Amino acid sequence: MLRHATSIDAAADAAEELVPVLEILPLQVLAAELSVRRGRDPDRPAGLSKVTMTQ
């Protein structure tokens, strides 16, 4: 199980341009945790193909 902080107070002291980046990080951790708890691999989502075809 992943262990992580439940809040980030760094956004209060950060430059205004960086606040959105700092606010999204806890949501990304939540999404990864939910994926693992559901028995899925967050690094290999279903329906995603990472194949690049060149000619």
Side-chain angles (χ1 to χ4, degrees):
M1 179 167 58
L2 297 174
R3 300 281 180 198
H4 54 84
T6 56
S7 66
I8 295 180
D9 291 332
D13 297 330
E16 185 177 349
E17 299 84 18
L18 296 177
V19 172
V21 174
L22 295 174
E23 289 178 343
I24 198 68
L25 293 175
L27 295 175
Q28 290 177 332
V29 171
L30 173 65
E33 179 72 18
L34 288 173
S35 177
V36 170
R37 287 184 184 207
R38 291 178 176 176
R40 299 184 179 137
D41 184 356
D43 295 323
R44 295 178 188 227
L48 178 64
S49 177
K50 294 183 178 182
V51 176
T52 303
M53 300 184 73
T54 58
Q55 295 181 0

